[in-house]
């Protein structure tokens, strides 16, 4: 219904499924029927995605956004035909860029997993409204994107500090925290979307959740060693 609904993940999924190009059509800028101006969101998402594509070695011209009204059938036909020819000229995804297909798949899968995190970190820029096309290329810089992936944030629960109060597990939006009564809690890094809610949720007197930037996460405490022995019970 709205180009603003085209999530970064949809585009990455299309490329993961072997599409050689993605064209997004949106209403003309400033002609959105809603106060949300979803087409600006779509534009910013495309600008970000194109930089991500460059980061992994893909030609960013494989992704295009065009704004047009529903009365502009001729323009739509022109754009589709022109883009179709461009994609043919660019050739098969990855192959033309000299990237091994398996490597490409794993890079795209890795980035797709980080989409919630990327959207959270770039939230402000993704919501901006660029009026001047000359600003498009400057919204996201190469250095910024390199940094985004080299300094990925992770969250870790310190087994020495966790008191198994279960607050973080109840607040985690994706059930990424392995939780049980009287058991040290553990973050399942595969499921974690890096929203940071657990840091805020963990009571300050415990301060058990740590934010780690650009470094490996310590391995999780072994399952058989997670039981917390309370001091009163020890006696
Ligand atoms: S950072 Fe968010 S998703 Fe990850 S474990 Fe904490 S609350 Fe869950
Ligand atoms: S909120 Fe903190 S203390 Fe409570 S279970 Fe989670 S990490 Fe442990």
């Amino acid at each position: 219904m709205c180009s603003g609904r085209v999530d970064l993940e949809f585009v990455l999924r299309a490329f993961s499924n072997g599409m050689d190009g993605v064209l997004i059509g949106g209403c003309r800028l400033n002609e959105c029927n809603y106060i949300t101006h979803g087409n600006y969101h779509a534009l910013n998402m495309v600008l970000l995605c194109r930089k991500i594509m460059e980061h992994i070695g893909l030609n960013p011209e494989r992704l295009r956004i065009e704004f047009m009204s529903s009365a502009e059938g001729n323009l739509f036909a022109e754009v589709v035909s022109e883009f179709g020819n461009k994609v043919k000229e660019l050739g098969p995804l990855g192959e033309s860029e000299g990237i091994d297909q398996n490597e490409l798949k794993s890079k795209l899968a890795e980035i797709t997993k980080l989409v919630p995190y990327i959207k959270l970190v770039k939230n402000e820029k993704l919501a901006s409204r660029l009026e001047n096309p000359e600003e498009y290329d400057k919204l996201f810089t190469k250095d910024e994107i390199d940094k985004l992936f080299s300094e990925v944030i992770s969250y870790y629960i310190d087994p020495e500090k966790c008191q198994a109060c279960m607050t973080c597990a109840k607040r985690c939006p994706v059930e990424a925290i392995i939780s049980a009564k009287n058991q040290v809690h553990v973050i399942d890094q595969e499921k974690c979307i890096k929203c940071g809610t657990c840091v805020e949720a963990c009571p300050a007197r415990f301060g058990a959740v740590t934010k780690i930037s650009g470094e490996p996460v310590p391995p999780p405490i072994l399952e058989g060693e997670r039981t917390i022995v309370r001091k009163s019970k020890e006696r």
Side-chain angles (χ1 to χ4, degrees):
M1 183 65 189
C2 173
S3 56
R5 178 66 185 96
V6 185
D7 198 278
L8 175 59
E9 193 179 333
F10 301 171
V11 179
L12 295 171
R13 197 190 306 158
F15 287 129
S16 295
N17 287 340
M19 298 299 125
D20 295 324
V22 174
L23 170 68
I24 299 163
C27 298
R28 287 195 174 277
L29 293 170
N30 298 319
E31 288 183 15
C32 181
N33 286 316
Y34 308 102
I35 53 163
T36 48
H37 288 272
N39 41 9
Y40 277 101
H41 285 261
L43 169 63
N44 298 335
M45 181 278 291
V46 164
L47 298 174
L48 173 62
C49 192
R50 285 170 66 104
K51 290 284 185 211
I52 292 175
M53 289 168 74
E54 276 182 88
H55 177 81
I56 60 171
L58 285 177
N59 191 326
E61 288 185 56
R62 294 182 182 278
L63 173 61
R64 183 162 159 187
I65 187 163
E66 282 293 336
F67 304 102
M68 61 193 82
S69 91
S70 54
E72 292 175 299
N74 285 352
L75 177 61
F76 177 72
E78 253 172 51
V79 167
V80 169
S81 147
E82 194 192 296
F83 185 65
N85 290 336
K86 179 75 199 173
V87 172
K88 271 188 207 147
E89 189 191 298
L90 291 173
L93 182 80
E95 210 179 296
S96 311
E97 286 95 342
I99 315 174
D100 173 77
Q101 287 301 312
N102 289 334
E103 191 193 338
L104 178 61
K105 279 233 164 221
S106 89
K107 277 182 178 175
L108 287 168
E110 220 173 282
I111 290 170
T112 305
K113 227 183 92 194
L114 290 173
V115 165
Y117 167 73
I118 296 170
K119 289 201 296 194
L120 195 79
V121 177
K122 297 295 164 200
N123 181 29
E124 226 170 277
K125 284 195 177 181
L126 286 168
S128 55
R129 280 195 202 168
L130 302 181
E131 301 291 346
N132 184 353
E134 282 174 15
E135 294 173 278
Y136 289 179
D137 206 40
K138 295 179 202 141
L139 184 63
F140 299 100
T141 65
K142 184 185 175 302
D143 285 356
E144 182 184 2
I145 300 301
D146 290 348
K147 203 170 157 201
L148 179 70
F149 295 110
S150 64
E151 293 177 12
V152 174
I153 284 164
S154 301
Y155 294 90
Y156 170 71
I157 295 175
D158 184 339
E160 299 293 320
K161 293 182 180 170
C162 178
Q163 293 302 309
C165 70
M166 301 174 124
T167 313
C168 59
K170 285 180 198 147
R171 297 267 309 274
C172 175
V174 291
E175 297 181 358
I177 300 179
I178 304 164
S179 163
K181 210 174 164 197
N182 288 327
Q183 296 273 307
V184 163
H185 284 39
V186 171
I187 295 177
D188 181 339
Q189 299 296 333
E190 287 298 308
K191 284 191 188 168
C192 175
I193 57 166
K194 306 172 192 297
C195 68
T197 304
C198 48
V199 181
E200 286 162 30
C202 184
R205 63 185 187 283
F206 304 142
V209 188
T210 315
K211 186 176 175 182
I212 299 172
S213 176
E215 280 175 39
V217 181
I221 181 168
L222 296 175
E223 230 175 301
E225 296 170 10
R226 291 182 192 167
T227 305
I228 296 177
V229 181
R230 309 279 172 196
K231 287 218 166 75
S232 55
K233 287 193 179 153
E234 266 180 13
R235 273 185 245 126

